[in-house]
Amino acid sequence: MTEPEVIVIGSGPAGLGAATALAQAGRRVLVLERETQAGGIPRHCGHYPFGMREFQRLLRGPDYAARLTDAARAAGVTIRTRTTVTSLQPGGVVEITDDAGPSALTAKVVLMATGVRETSRAARLIGGEKPGGVLSTGALQGMVYLNRQRPFRQPVILGSELVAFSALLTCRHAGIRPLAMIEPASRITTRTSARWLAAAMRVPILLHSDIAAIHGRTRVDGVTLATPAGQRDLPADGVIVSGGFRPDAALLVGSHLQIDAASGGPVIDRWGRLSDPAYFACGNLLRGVETAGWCWSEGRRVAQAILAALQDHLPEPGGVRLSLAHPALRLAVPQVVGAGASGSPYDRLQVRLSRPAKGQLRLMQDGRILAATRIDSRPERRLSLLLPHKLGHGPLTLTIDEKT
């Protein structure tokens, strides 16, 4: 292709959704993907449901990923796989390496859509030996659906986010019978209705429990749990370390772009612009995990902001940096809030909690409540707050009044 106007880094639902919308608007779009195939995480998810929002039908993950890829190519998007971005330079210069060696590409706009990664066993400080058979949900799905392997027969699953129940579906597909789901909190993280799947598979959910140690030399041959009744041993032959999603923001480290300490992803404004306005971001890079359909829709909304930027129709960068003023608040996106305008893709604050909280979520400035909504929620559940169109110049804070 001729020199692209937009480079998209990452070919998951957010990146492909944005790229397709941009190409349909007549823009030259290049998608860079480090793996051998485009499609992102859904390629590894051989179960339903995907695709209702995008294609008005239920699809398995690999079929959904293929449809997104085909739609992008049909719109005129160029997709380069096995291409790794190594650094981001000011003004939309992207350094890459592929089979031909290192090189650099330049575009008017670069969209980052690199998604998330799961928190590792090491980051969770789980003790014991380091045998084989300790996998993230993504690694499990890749082994089962892509490689047709069954890595173990009776693992335990650590975590109770939605993706942990996705791991249950993967286990059922492969004929794996988990011994238990382990959750340190007093309730499961995802919606309570998800418990029916564990009940249907006869997998107990052990609350107030955690993995104290993993045993085995070459393979897992047992785990020790810390439970309210004391330590308990299970004869597990594997451990699925599920969830704990964090933005895959390795490219931001050492770059000139600002990183949000709360989310671990980039600092953006309500248009999706980073601290260098040649760069935009969308999808799970911003906040940890959301559904594929949500990310696809968000990518298409950010594409409209990019189209406006290419025509010099966006407001000048700037605004007030948001601060979090309550210990239960883990992150909020966007982090820079300027005066409102119709069409901004981030017209609502997207909020996540670090612990359960109940009360009134408030956006405050100069002692005034600019926006508020009642919440009664747990970590990793979707919360949002409509951003006002008019702002003052004082500090902008997000807080929770738990007395209300």
Side-chain angles (χ1 to χ4, degrees):
M1 67 181 300
T2 57
E3 184 174 287
E5 294 174 281
V6 181
I7 292 173
V8 179
I9 304 174
S11 68
L16 289 178
T20 302
L22 289 163
Q24 288 171 339
R27 298 298 180 171
R28 299 185 304 276
V29 185
L30 171 64
V31 174
L32 303 177
E33 172 54 56
R34 64 189 175 193
E35 296 197 22
T36 57
Q37 288 182 283
I41 289 176
R43 290 195 309 113
H44 304 259
C45 303
H47 53 73
Y48 300 92
F50 292 88
M52 281 301 297
R53 187 191 306 237
E54 304 87 332
F55 303 111
Q56 292 75 56
R57 62 180 300 177
L58 290 176
L59 298 168
R60 295 184 312 114
D63 300 327
Y64 169 76
R67 279 201 172 214
L68 289 180
T69 303
D70 291 344
R73 289 194 168 118
V77 176
T78 299
I79 302 175
R80 286 177 57 174
T81 57
R82 299 177 59 172
T83 302
T84 301
V85 177
T86 56
S87 72
L88 309 172
Q89 302 298 324
V93 179
V94 175
E95 295 182 352
I96 66 168
T97 185
D98 57 15
D99 292 342
S103 60
L105 300 170
T106 303
K108 294 178 181 178
V109 171
V110 175
L111 174 63
M112 296 188 64
T114 51
V116 293
R117 55 182 173 81
E118 291 180 85
T119 301
S120 67
R121 168 197 173 169
R124 293 173 186 247
L125 303 177
I126 300 173
E129 305 294 334
K130 296 183 179 179
V134 182
L135 302 175
S136 68
T137 304
L140 170 69
Q141 291 173 331
M143 294 181 75
V144 169
Y145 294 121
L146 300 183
N147 301 336
R148 305 293 190 268
Q149 294 175 302
R150 182 166 59 184
F152 31 58
R153 292 182 179 275
Q154 50 180 25
V156 294
I157 300 174
L158 177 60
S160 63
E161 297 178 27
L162 185 60
V163 71
F165 291 87
S166 175
L168 273 182
L169 290 172
T170 302
C171 287
R172 186 178 67 173
H173 175 86
I176 297 168
R177 298 293 299 272
L179 296 179
M181 297 184 74
I182 315 300
E183 173 52 55
S186 60
R187 295 164 54 190
I188 64 172
T189 301
T190 193
R191 300 292 179 184
T192 305
S193 57
R195 297 178 69 110
W196 71 264
L197 178 60
M201 292 180 62
R202 299 183 179 178
V203 177
I205 300 175
L206 306 182
L207 301 176
H208 298 289
S209 301
D210 206 348
I211 296 178
I214 299 173
H215 308 297
R217 289 193 173 184
T218 59
R219 300 288 303 174
V220 175
D221 60 23
V223 298
T224 297
L225 305 183
T227 76
Q231 290 196 339
R232 174 184 175 186
D233 293 326
L234 289 179
D237 63 353
V239 177
I240 303 168
V241 182
S242 177
F245 287 102
R246 297 294 180 267
D248 190 352
L251 279 172
L252 297 175
V253 179
S255 77
H256 65 296
L257 299 165
Q258 290 183 18
I259 300 175
D260 178 31
S263 69
V267 172
I268 65 165
D269 67 9
R270 66 195 304 163
W271 300 99
R273 288 180 296 198
L274 277 63
S275 52
D276 178 345
Y279 288 85
F280 285 68
C282 67
N284 284 333
L285 170 65
L286 300 177
R287 82 226 128 206
V289 74
E290 263 291 0
T291 65
W294 177 282
C295 292
W296 174 85
S297 178
E298 185 174 272
R300 294 184 68 85
R301 294 197 306 272
V302 172
Q304 299 307 308
I306 292 173
L307 289 171
L310 292 171
Q311 301 174 59
D312 295 323
H313 289 167
L314 286 190
E316 288 296 314
V320 181
R321 181 69 184 267
L322 178 69
S323 62
L324 306 181
H326 192 281
L329 294 170
R330 185 168 72 83
L331 65 88
V333 176
Q335 299 88 353
V336 177
V337 183
S342 61
S344 60
Y346 297 100
D347 59 350
R348 304 184 72 92
L349 277 178
Q350 300 178 20
V351 181
R352 295 292 186 276
L353 302 177
S354 59
R355 65 166 174 81
K358 180 179 180 180
Q360 189 177 58
L361 182 67
R362 293 177 174 179
L363 183 65
M364 308 285 296
Q365 188 175 50
D366 298 326
R368 297 183 297 116
I369 301 175
L370 301 184
T373 188
R374 291 199 60 79
I375 62 168
D376 182 2
S377 189
R378 298 181 60 75
E380 300 306 330
R381 295 185 181 177
R382 183 186 300 161
L383 297 174
S384 68
L385 185 64
L386 184 65
L387 286 169
H389 286 286
K390 294 184 178 180
L391 292 172
H393 300 286
L396 195 63
T397 61
L398 185 68
T399 190
I400 301 172
D401 184 349
E402 294 188 281
K403 300 177 182 177
T404 303

